[in-house]
Amino acid sequence: MRFPFATARRRCYITPAMTTDLSHIRNFAIIAHIDHGKSTLADRLIQMTGGLTEREMSEQVLDSMDIERERGITIKAQTVRLDYTAKDGEKYVLNLIDTPGHVDFTYEVSRSLAACEGSLLVVDATQGVEAQTLANVYLALDVDHEIIPVLNKIDLPAAETERVKAQIEDVIGLDTSDALEISAKTGIGIDSVLEAVVTRLPAPKGDPAAPLSALLVDSWYDPYLGVMILVRVVDGTLKRGQRIRMMANDAAYQVDQVGYLRPKPTKVDELGPGEVGYFTAAIKRVADTNVGDTITDDRKPAAKPLAGFKPSVPVVFCGLFPTDAGDYEDLRDSLEKLHLNDASFHFEAESSAALGLGFRCGFLGLLHLEIVQERLEREFDLDLITTAPSVVYKVYRTDGVMRELHNPVDMPDPSAIDYIEEPWIKASIMVPDEYLGAVLQLCTDRRGEQENLTYVGNRALVVYRLPLNEIVFDFYDRLKSVSRGYASFDYELEGYREGDLAKVSILVNLEPVDALAFIVHKSHAEARGRQICEKLKDLIPRQLFKIAIQAAIGGKVIARETLGAMRKDVTSKCYGGDITRKKKLLEKQKKGKKRMRQFGNVEIPQSAFLAALKTGE
Amino acid sequence: MTPFGVYVHWPFCESKCPYCDFNSHVQDAVDQARWARALIADLAHYAADTQDRTVTTVFFGGGTPSLMAPETVAAVIQGIRDLWPCAEDLEVSLEANPSSAEIAAFPDLKAAGVTRLSVGVQSFDDAALSALGRRHDAQAARRALVGARDHFEEFSFDLIYARPEQTKDKWRQELREALTFAGPHLSFYQLTIESGTPFHKDGVKAAEGELGAALFDITQEVLGEAGLPAYEISNHARPGHECRHNLNIWRGWDYVGVGPGAHGRLALSGDGAVRDWGTHQVHSPERWLSLVESKGHGTAKRRLLDDGDRAEERVIMGLRLTEGIDRTRFQAQTGRDVLTLINPSKLAYAVGAGYVDLDKTRIAATAEGRLRLNSLLASLLAT
């Protein structure tokens, strides 16, 4: 699921258009790495075909989410219908379906790609191919796309057009003899892009007479129109007033409004085969719509749904707690509001002895987690604590029952466990060769198994199999640091494997701190346990009594730190007149204890645990 | 004899020290006779309710009570003797500053009835004295102590330590010099930065944590070896030479407090029951004076303390003493066992950690416990 921004699409325009003839439609996507110029190119294409005026362009930029602009990533679909008169004098309809392009949203990307017949592969001529680009090219090839290589930023002195072309041929196996050379920023070659889309990408196929069959590409919540659904019609027509059915969740609705996004919603009567557009149907929640679902006619349904539907499944879980316990209700309301627009994250109430009331939340990946957390903090002004992210383990118990484990706290007693399986990924990493050694070492440290290692010029492409729990730990940060930011990384989930895993509990004065428990491979248990104990030792203020901080697996202590008692805390002067003052101090100390958590004979301020989680891995 | 103290507050100083947040004021001319009358009137007001008591100790605190004219001191002491029966060995302590004028007044103060002098030396280091905003230098301090020794058998002086940039070695050296001038009693206060003081505004930092603890330990060690062990957190004396007035307050006995901002604690009978009262005089000198002159007393508030309140105070005060709390005395004063105020599991932890000694007759904080008394009290008194 993406994060469409609704306000730019609020106003509707009516165009009394007929459905377009299939041969005059081209549906395409743009595949590019962050910063390689995808958004700039998209904006150029919209501008050249007259989709938006100069002023509207800048308005649209202003409307997009802060997070997107700051991170240079697309986390909403930018879908636009362009009218283009080609050199052959014919008028064509070009539907550009922009994609989020991040590994967390791989399934959503694959559905966006499935709605198109071809892609533009945009590569920065000064940078070359990156791991993320590769992963998305493979997705496009999976859905049989025609791919047009486009070299961007050729105006820059650092552009190495020929070398990058060779790299594309080597790494991806695409013919680059008629690759386009452009500069989205200056406008060089943009007309050649539009012309290539018409002449080199195939027209969609479809049968207007067949029962309706449309792919649900995306959905979002609009405060005025309710849930809006982006579809690609494959066969038949989608009409205003039609009664449709979602095949995956078997729900039927009456279509209220049908239209194109240019990118403003523009009402029409119907969408024919090959066309891309939106409809509304009094659907209350985005959660009632599933990306990849097939929409058909309720009275005359298609014989079978389109291939490839998968329900969205969270792969990374963590606890979200308000820093101020008084914000719990606000957090719940905010999660509910966010969920209206993004049904792919899951949340349920959780109570922690160390952190109080909060929510256990599931996400499509780490970026998705960060985006949700950041939106909660920015848009809803909440100060949050995130517990260490955890993946979904499959715990096979000795009684033969398998349970998925989303929270380390729920781990059964080791004696009740037969074995545990953990998710593994296939990771592609591209890195300049000077950092290759450090990257290989990192992958090995993280239990990686090397699959492949190839060179393109002075850049290496390494493919590793790695356990996902090593990635969510701090892999991105480490990779960035050992490669000085030059490595690019992407992955796909591969499946589950048995692992020698254990739950490590962190104990303070022999009492477990639930929020700090984690699951880890036994070979890393001691080092990670020690790391957390040391951190807590620094963060917990000295108390009246000494404090034992331990990491343990079951009953076995694997790391231990002792925080000595405070050395001195006494008021020097206390005579007859000072007693009132002394009592005030005592009352203050007693009051302070309300924000403390009791661990044996000491009270530890909640802030120490918050800090332990905040400073991160 | 049941101890009963009288505290007299003299709120004036020649200058205000930058660390001090006590009720002290700088005023050019003080009408001594008028103040003496007012203090006696304030005393008479309390004497009316405490006719059955015998005064055992008097303490002149401040401010700088050595700035009182000896005649004023004499008048107030005589006033006390007129209002209450007084013990034969009445202790009368007075706080003095080491200025030459004040030193010159020592014989007259003795003649006025003062038995015990406490000199605010603060340091034997000129640079430190100037940083502390004191008007005297180390030489004046030494002269004052010689003067005090010449006229008073019982005398004491104060030092302030844990000052910014004070080292362990320098403190040892200063303690050794202090001992050469010491009488039977000494007080050592760690500098604390109180809000509202110039030190607080200027961001002055006292030695805290590890260094503060080490300086405290050095004090205990050096004074213990010199035969002046601590009988309270900041007070040291040869056995039998403690300040009886303060000792009685720490032991939970009653005292009357007169003068601006003074506090008192009185158990008074009425309606067939004895109740504990907390009294508090008006803070500002001018307002206190005009209130006494118009109403006959300077009391701002007379507050009934509930049983638990006063008992809790007695725990807070009593655990400051090396001797701790005599459980029989506590039972007599409050009608309850001291352990009823203390969280039993916290007490067990504290005893186990070596912070508290407990037996049938007394409960006391150990030296380690007294070093952490604020946290220890917060733990023990937690409900």
Side-chain angles (χ1 to χ4, degrees), chain A residues 349-466:
Chain A
E350 182 185 7
S351 169
S352 153
L355 301 178
L357 288 176
F359 293 90
R360 191 76 190 164
C361 302
F363 305 92
L364 298 176
L366 281 179
L367 178 77
H368 189 206
L369 183 162
E370 276 180 50
I371 290 166
V372 170
Q373 186 194 358
E374 219 166 303
R375 291 189 68 185
L376 287 168
E377 293 190 338
R378 286 188 192 195
E379 294 169 30
F380 298 93
D381 199 24
L382 291 166
D383 197 5
L384 296 177
I385 294 300
T386 314
T387 62
S390 174
V391 302
V392 178
Y393 297 94
K394 291 182 175 172
V395 179
Y396 292 84
R397 295 151 57 127
T398 46
D399 60 8
V401 177
M402 187 281 281
R403 287 264 156 74
E404 285 196 350
L405 187 74
H406 294 167
N407 189 342
V409 169
D410 301 329
M411 180 90 138
D413 187 80
S415 65
I417 299 172
D418 186 7
Y419 63 99
I420 304 172
E421 286 184 346
E422 62 179 324
W424 278 65
I425 59 160
K426 185 171 156 187
S428 315
I429 301 167
M430 296 207 68
V431 58
D433 56 4
E434 54 197 300
Y435 306 114
L436 179 64
V439 168
L440 296 181
Q441 185 62 48
L442 175 65
C443 290
T444 309
D445 289 348
R446 295 304 162 84
R447 301 192 276 140
E449 296 167 0
Q450 201 184 101
E451 277 292 301
N452 199 359
L453 171 55
T454 49
Y455 270 96
V456 180
N458 66 345
R459 284 163 64 87
L461 170 63
V462 214
V463 180
Y464 260 86
R465 294 203 147 79
L466 283 153

Side-chain angles (χ1 to χ4, degrees), chain A residues 63-127:
Chain A
D63 271 348
S64 66
M65 283 189 283
D66 290 346
I67 306 171
E68 286 188 309
R69 271 184 292 135
E70 281 169 27
R71 297 189 175 210
I73 51 171
T74 307
I75 50 181
K76 60 166 178 155
Q78 291 179 331
T79 297
V80 60
R81 178 179 163 118
L82 311 168
D83 293 317
Y84 175 63
T85 306
K87 287 183 180 152
D88 62 10
E90 299 283 318
K91 287 190 173 172
Y92 288 86
V93 167
L94 312 183
N95 289 305
L96 164 59
I97 302 181
D98 197 2
T99 59
H102 187 273
V103 57
D104 284 4
F105 311 108
T106 294
Y107 174 67
E108 286 69 18
V109 176
S110 81
R111 292 308 88 195
S112 291
L113 294 174
C116 309
E117 282 73 38
S119 308
L120 303 176
L121 167 62
V122 177
V123 180
D124 184 329
T126 69
Q127 301 287 323

Side-chain angles (χ1 to χ4, degrees), chain B residues 140-160:
Chain B
R142 292 184 197 106
R143 267 202 301 273
L145 292 176
V146 171
R149 172 177 291 174
D150 285 349
H151 296 96
F152 295 92
E153 252 173 69
E154 300 294 333
F155 76 96
S156 176
F157 60 89
D158 300 354
L159 293 182
I160 291 177

Side-chain angles (χ1 to χ4, degrees), chain A residues 544 566 568-569 572 574-575, chain B residues 189-190 234 250 355 372 375:
Chain A
L544 182 57
M566 62 167 64
K568 177 177 167 289
D569 174 29
S572 219
C574 188
Y575 297 99
Chain B
Y189 302 109
Q190 291 215 347
S234 305
W250 290 316
Y355 293 154
R372 304 165 174 91
S375 293

